[in-house]
Amino acid sequence: MRRRGEGSSSNSNQCFHLLFDIVKIIKYRNSPQEETRSPHAAEAVAAMAEIRVVTVGQGGVGKSATVIYLLRGIFIETYDPTIEDLHRKQMRVDGFAYMLAILDTAGQEEFSAMQGEWFSTGEGFVLMYAINDRKSFDGCKKLRQRIYQAKDLKMDEFTIIVVGNKADLEEEREVSKEEGQALAAESGSPFFEVSAKEGSNVVEVFEAVVRGVEKIRKNKAEEEELTPKRSPSFGSLRKSTIGKLASGRGDDVQQPANGKDKTKKFCTLL
Ligand code: GDP
Ligand code: MG
């Protein structure tokens, strides 16, 4: 038997729960990280392709400023040049979500333990100079050679994007756009002039990294499907290319010709 007042108390209880649920829904909707919203979304993030990216270039060319612009959309005037940082950034490219793990290197004279590991396992390299600093441009060939060496000539396992930063300093320009393009062409790399200060072309650089890596992964999977017992190291290198690299003339190496796209994807559609 229902007592007097029982009905109204259960009504107010219901109201309370309803209010509680509304608050939960609002919190859930405003959750900044999509992946924490539901177990399904969390699984999707776990399955998301991670791409290891390394910034390479002389000190002061703007590697950190560029990475920070990508991460936060702001330009940081001064950043400790000795700091080597590892960042993670979720990016959507061509409708697919990727997790970029970016090692922002510092001090190129000697490899840190982390740099050594990342040079050999990295899939995307952002090779950077500053357009107002010829020395930084001249140093790029040596740095690129270093990437080749660390990768043990496995040219089909990584992509290099050549970047001329500080494009806003046009009046101080020491390196022409054509020189940058020629440097990039030597390794079959995409080329961008960017400005971390103005934010121009920064996102485009990292999108190019993702596209390059995605293409390489597809080609590799295609090769493995077709010829599973083939040696992976020099699989898609032409003999003449290997010869050039071995004799230290590696800078004119072309990326291997890429095959047709297959439908296999290495990323998660969110
Ligand atoms: P890193 O040593 O390569 O990481 O270089 P930083 O990111 O620390 O930048 C070195 C200096 O260049 C800093 O004083 C930055 O403010 C400046 N800088 C970086 N990017 C740009 C840019 O696009 N334009 C201009 N004008 N200055 C920049
Ligand atoms: Mg730095």
Side-chain angles (χ1 to χ4, degrees), residues 55-68 75-83 104-107 128 130 132 165-169 172 194-200 202:
T55 64
V56 185
Q58 282 186 0
V61 297
K63 300 182 294 298
S64 302
T66 304
V67 171
I68 295 204
F75 174 61
I76 291 191
E77 196 75 42
T78 47
Y79 193 76
D80 188 336
T82 61
I83 289 183
D104 178 28
T105 64
M128 186 178 286
N132 64 336
N165 186 36
K166 308 198 184 181
D168 55 290
L169 298 178
E172 295 176 23
V194 314
S195 166
K197 188 169 187 177
E198 295 176 341
S200 58
V202 172

Side-chain angles (χ1 to χ4, degrees), residues 4 24 56 69 78 160 214 254 267:
R4 193 194 290 251
K24 268 206 301 195
V56 185
Y69 188 88
T78 47
I160 299 177
E214 179 74 9
Q254 297 289 320
C267 47

Side-chain angles (χ1 to χ4, degrees), residues 16-27:
F16 178 77
H17 282 297
L18 191 67
L19 201 65
F20 192 64
D21 281 345
I22 290 170
V23 170
K24 268 206 301 195
I25 288 165
I26 291 170
K27 268 191 174 175

Side-chain angles (χ1 to χ4, degrees), residues 12-57:
S12 64
N13 261 351
Q14 272 179 349
C15 276
F16 178 77
H17 282 297
L18 191 67
L19 201 65
F20 192 64
D21 281 345
I22 290 170
V23 170
K24 268 206 301 195
I25 288 165
I26 291 170
K27 268 191 174 175
Y28 163 90
R29 292 212 148 190
N30 291 337
S31 165
Q33 287 187 323
E34 241 178 315
E35 60 270 28
T36 61
R37 284 184 190 169
S38 72
H40 174 73
E43 267 171 34
V45 169
M48 195 187 293
E50 184 179 277
I51 294 181
R52 285 187 147 207
V53 186
V54 186
T55 64
V56 185

Side-chain angles (χ1 to χ4, degrees), residues 27-175:
K27 268 191 174 175
Y28 163 90
R29 292 212 148 190
N30 291 337
S31 165
Q33 287 187 323
E34 241 178 315
E35 60 270 28
T36 61
R37 284 184 190 169
S38 72
H40 174 73
E43 267 171 34
V45 169
M48 195 187 293
E50 184 179 277
I51 294 181
R52 285 187 147 207
V53 186
V54 186
T55 64
V56 185
Q58 282 186 0
V61 297
K63 300 182 294 298
S64 302
T66 304
V67 171
I68 295 204
Y69 188 88
L70 176 80
L71 298 171
R72 300 193 217 149
I74 52 167
F75 174 61
I76 291 191
E77 196 75 42
T78 47
Y79 193 76
D80 188 336
T82 61
I83 289 183
E84 184 164 270
D85 260 334
L86 184 55
H87 305 277
R88 289 170 78 79
K89 162 84 179 164
Q90 190 180 321
M91 263 186 96
R92 189 178 286 273
V93 180
D94 301 329
F96 293 93
Y98 298 85
M99 183 60 78
L100 266 61
I102 306 169
L103 180 72
D104 178 28
T105 64
Q108 295 298 327
E109 289 314 309
E110 280 179 27
F111 270 161
S112 68
M114 200 167 190
Q115 267 183 49
E117 201 235 315
W118 275 67
F119 266 60
S120 57
T121 58
E123 292 173 284
F125 291 84
V126 175
L127 180 60
M128 186 178 286
Y129 64 90
I131 67 148
N132 64 336
D133 180 357
R134 175 153 293 277
K135 263 175 87 179
S136 72
F137 177 76
D138 294 341
C140 277
K141 289 198 176 193
K142 206 171 153 195
L143 290 170
R144 185 166 55 187
Q145 198 63 37
R146 214 162 167 176
I147 301 170
Y148 292 147
Q149 282 161 2
K151 302 299 288 184
D152 198 18
L153 308 184
K154 292 176 187 167
M155 302 289 296
D156 50 351
E157 292 185 4
F158 63 97
T159 187
I160 299 177
I161 314 295
V162 176
V163 175
N165 186 36
K166 308 198 184 181
D168 55 290
L169 298 178
E170 186 58 48
E171 67 286 357
E172 295 176 23
R173 184 187 280 276
E174 290 182 4
V175 183

